[in-house]
């Protein structure tokens, strides 16, 4: 295999996604097969993504992984199942640049090193496992010269984290639940690419970056076992919503899109409350944000903003266009001003140009914001939001070709 000194590595970047029709509940725990279809929007990886470097070398003694600068165990089933499936599909590698040739049978024996970094909070309800496992699978597939297309790779990523399958495409993505017992038809397909609905702007209110008390995995299991509402939702409600949401996306019908996204988010959290014991992912701040959006939408007579909450308290707010997004930001900054020791630059990250659209240059402008017209309560909740992220629908995964962007050292295969 060209000596014992070489290290072959690949670095990839993969976005996260937020479901607007939720996945909640599995019919097969091992293969991660869902009880209903789901639809998501992929977020711009410039603002929310996972970067992963994977490496092979005959010098490696074990499979090892580092996540956000800390070494973690690879013994868990979610990583092992993906690694096993990728190794199974490996083909001969001929790396002319490094002068490395590796036969398929040798690839399957070599150990791997993986270093992964999220540029947003992990396990806080922002789908970090989705981008993380998708990036893990995508990068490994490139490393081992796997020939399968993105749809087939999504079926592998699904076995690590269900919603990871949707992060292998940009734009709007549908995860087909499938019917086959082996899960071969449970995979992701793109509904529309990231350029299809370019008017949309997404504001995320990070209410808490703490790890959630109830993981999605255990929460789903408890809901499947105890919630009658979940069964009704999966069988009667979601199939109709999927069809309606696909149509709303294709025709760019924001009113229908917003109605469906808000209703589905609320029903998902109702299922969590219908679970025994009940699961509480949202908190008082989450509820305040819903109230602000609902009042504004009603006052306008047609939806301006859609909201959706995954398994956590953080609000994902989708504005119909940039003008609406700047007005939304002003409302949010009025109700949730930054604390005294917080800089505006760190309070809104991502696309900071939205501040210019809102006419906000510094904290003094935030202090001078007038109360939103027509709202009875002008109470403010400073400190209740940690920070905001401004983003938009984004592209799917890419390989980063520059070795300077790698997280592992190209000489040793260890973290830089």
């Amino acid at each position: 295999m060209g000596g014992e000194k070489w290290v072959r590595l690949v670095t990839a970047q993969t976005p996260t996604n937020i479901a607007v029709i939720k996945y909640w509940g599995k019919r097969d725990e091992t293969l991660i097969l869902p009880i209903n279809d789901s639809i998501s929007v992929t977020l711009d990886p410039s603002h929310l993504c996972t970067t992963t470097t994977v490496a092979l070398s005959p010098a490696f003694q074990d499979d090892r992984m580092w996540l956000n600068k800390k070494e973690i165990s690879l013994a868990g089933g979610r990583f092992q199942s993906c690694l096993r499936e990728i190794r199974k599909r490996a083909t001969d590698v001929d790396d002319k640049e490094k002068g490395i040739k590796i036969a398929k049978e040798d690839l399957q024996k070599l150990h791997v090193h993986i270093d992964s970094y999220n540029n947003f909070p992990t396990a806080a309800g922002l789908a970090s496992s989705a981008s993380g496992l998708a990036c893990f699978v995508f990068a490994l597939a490139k490393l081992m010269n796997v020939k399968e297309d993105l749809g087939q790779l999504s079926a592998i990523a699904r076995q690590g984290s269900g919603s990871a399958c949707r992060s292998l495409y940009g734009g709007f993505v549908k995860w087909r639940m499938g019917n086959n017992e082996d899960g071969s038809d449970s995979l992701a397909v793109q509904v529309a690419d990231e350029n299809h609905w370019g008017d949309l702007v997404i504001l995320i209110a990070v209410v808490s970056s703490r790890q959630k008390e109830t993981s999605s995995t255990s929460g789903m299991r408890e809901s499947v076992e105890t919630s009658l509402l979940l069964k009704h939702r999966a069988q009667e409600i979601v199939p109709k919503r999927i069809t309606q949401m696909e149509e709303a996306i294709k025709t760019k019908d924001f009113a229908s899109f917003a109605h469906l996204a808000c209703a589905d988010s609320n029903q998902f959290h109702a299922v969590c409350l219908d679970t025994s014991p009940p699961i509480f992912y949202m908190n008082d701040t989450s509820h305040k944000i819903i109230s602000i959006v609902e009042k504004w939408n009603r006052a306008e007579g047609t939806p301006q903003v859609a909201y959706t909450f995954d398994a956590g308290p953080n609000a994902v707010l989708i504005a119909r266009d940039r003008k609406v997004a700047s007005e939304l930001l002003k409302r949010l900054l009025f109700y949730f001003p930054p604390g005294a020791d917080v800089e505006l630059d760190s309070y809104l990250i991502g696309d900071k140009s939205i501040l210019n659209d809102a006419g906000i240059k510094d904290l003094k402008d935030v202090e001078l914001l007038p109360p939103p017209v027509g709202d009875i309560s002008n109470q403010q909740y400073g400190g209740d939001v940690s920070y905001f992220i401004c983003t938009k629908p984004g592209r799917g995964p890419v390989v980063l070709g520059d070795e300077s962007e790698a997280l592992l050292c190209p000489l040793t295969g260890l973290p830089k």
Side-chain angles (χ1 to χ4, degrees):
M1 291 185 292
E4 297 294 309
K5 299 276 188 182
W6 58 262
V7 175
R8 170 174 161 80
L9 54 79
V10 169
T11 301
Q13 190 182 74
T14 302
T16 190
N17 71 81
I18 296 294
V20 289
I21 302 293
K22 303 296 186 188
Y23 145 58
W24 194 251
K26 306 180 184 80
R27 67 180 190 275
D28 186 304
E29 290 274 345
T30 304
L31 293 174
I32 309 189
L33 301 177
I35 60 173
N36 60 262
D37 291 352
S38 57
I39 293 178
S40 64
V41 56
T42 299
L43 305 182
D44 187 345
S46 303
H47 310 133
L48 292 109
C49 73
T50 297
T51 302
T52 300
T53 299
V54 290
L56 283 166
S57 173
F60 297 165
Q61 300 299 308
D62 300 287
D63 294 333
R64 298 177 69 185
M65 181 170 183
W66 294 264
L67 175 62
N68 296 331
K69 310 298 183 188
K70 292 182 181 176
E71 186 163 9
I72 64 169
S73 172
L74 262 172
R78 57 168 48 192
F79 293 112
Q80 285 301 329
S81 59
C82 292
L83 187 52
R84 183 177 61 251
E85 293 298 321
I86 291 293
R87 277 179 168 142
K88 198 188 298 181
R89 291 164 174 79
T91 64
D92 295 354
V93 167
D94 185 2
D95 188 335
K96 291 183 171 60
E97 190 177 323
K98 289 204 166 188
I100 301 168
K101 286 188 177 184
I102 320 168
K104 173 181 176 175
E105 54 271 22
D106 291 325
L107 267 176
Q108 294 173 339
K109 297 172 193 168
L110 289 170
H111 290 293
V112 296
H113 285 185
I114 303 116
D115 196 342
S116 193
Y117 176 75
N118 295 323
N119 68 349
F120 60 99
T122 299
L126 286 172
S128 57
S129 64
S131 60
L133 267 297
C135 206
F136 180 83
V137 167
F138 182 79
L140 278 173
K142 297 295 183 184
L143 183 73
M144 298 192 184
N145 202 26
V146 171
K147 302 296 189 183
E148 267 77 358
D149 63 20
L150 285 178
Q152 292 165 312
L153 289 181
S154 78
I156 298 172
R158 183 206 75 229
Q159 296 175 55
S161 170
S163 50
C165 70
R166 298 187 309 242
S167 276
L168 284 165
Y169 291 97
F172 298 87
V173 185
K174 176 181 175 180
W175 175 11
R176 293 176 179 157
M177 63 179 283
N179 297 303
N180 297 343
E181 285 189 16
D182 65 357
S184 57
D185 60 344
S186 181
L187 42 77
V189 293
Q190 191 177 60
V191 176
D193 69 22
E194 62 271 24
N195 300 313
H196 168 71
W197 205 347
D199 291 342
L200 299 181
V201 178
I202 300 167
L203 274 169
I204 301 171
V206 180
V207 173
S208 171
S209 57
R210 288 187 308 231
Q211 190 160 336
K212 55 202 176 197
E213 291 179 19
T214 306
S215 73
S216 299
T217 301
S218 60
M220 282 188 210
R221 189 180 302 120
E222 290 165 6
S223 292
V224 167
E225 290 171 356
T226 65
S227 173
L228 293 176
L229 177 55
L230 178 63
K231 293 179 177 64
H232 175 69
R233 164 183 161 74
Q235 293 168 10
E236 303 295 332
I237 306 295
V238 172
K240 294 169 188 169
R241 281 187 181 158
I242 289 287
T243 301
Q244 293 165 346
M245 181 59 87
E246 284 189 272
E247 182 64 19
I249 291 166
K250 287 172 182 174
T251 60
K252 296 188 271 194
D253 176 355
F254 188 81
S256 296
F257 174 87
H259 170 74
L260 290 162
C262 296
D264 203 72
S265 176
N266 291 335
Q267 189 179 71
F268 155 54
H269 288 279
V271 165
C272 292
L273 291 176
D274 189 50
T275 299
S276 181
I279 306 166
F280 305 96
Y281 285 125
M282 292 198 292
N283 61 20
D284 286 349
T285 305
S286 312
H287 298 145
K288 287 168 195 163
I289 293 170
I290 289 176
S291 179
I292 290 165
V293 172
E294 287 283 1
K295 285 177 184 173
W296 186 24
N297 283 344
R298 280 200 302 275
E300 292 291 333
T302 187
Q304 305 298 301
V305 176
Y307 59 79
T308 188
F309 293 77
D310 271 0
N314 305 311
V316 179
L317 307 169
I318 305 171
R320 66 187 307 149
D321 57 38
R322 201 162 178 87
K323 182 180 177 184
V324 168
S326 65
E327 177 59 30
L328 171 64
L329 179 62
K330 286 193 282 189
R331 286 170 181 259
L332 292 171
L333 288 175
F334 173 81
Y335 287 112
F336 305 103
D341 58 343
V342 177
E343 295 291 328
L344 185 61
D345 194 54
S346 61
Y347 198 55
L348 186 133
I349 61 176
D351 180 7
K352 294 181 187 294
S353 66
I354 195 73
L355 287 168
N356 294 330
D357 293 359
I360 295 169
K361 296 182 180 64
D362 50 36
L363 286 174
K364 193 70 178 171
D365 291 330
V366 175
E367 292 168 13
L368 294 173
L369 285 171
V373 176
D375 202 337
I376 300 168
S377 171
N378 292 328
Q379 186 174 352
Q380 293 177 296
Y381 308 96
D384 282 8
V385 170
S386 299
Y387 59 94
F388 294 99
I389 304 169
C390 182
T391 186
K392 61 184 179 180
R395 59 161 170 76
V398 295
V399 171
L400 303 179
D402 192 336
E403 276 195 352
S404 67
E405 297 176 279
L407 303 177
L408 296 171
C409 172
L411 299 177
T412 65
L414 294 171
K416 287 181 177 178

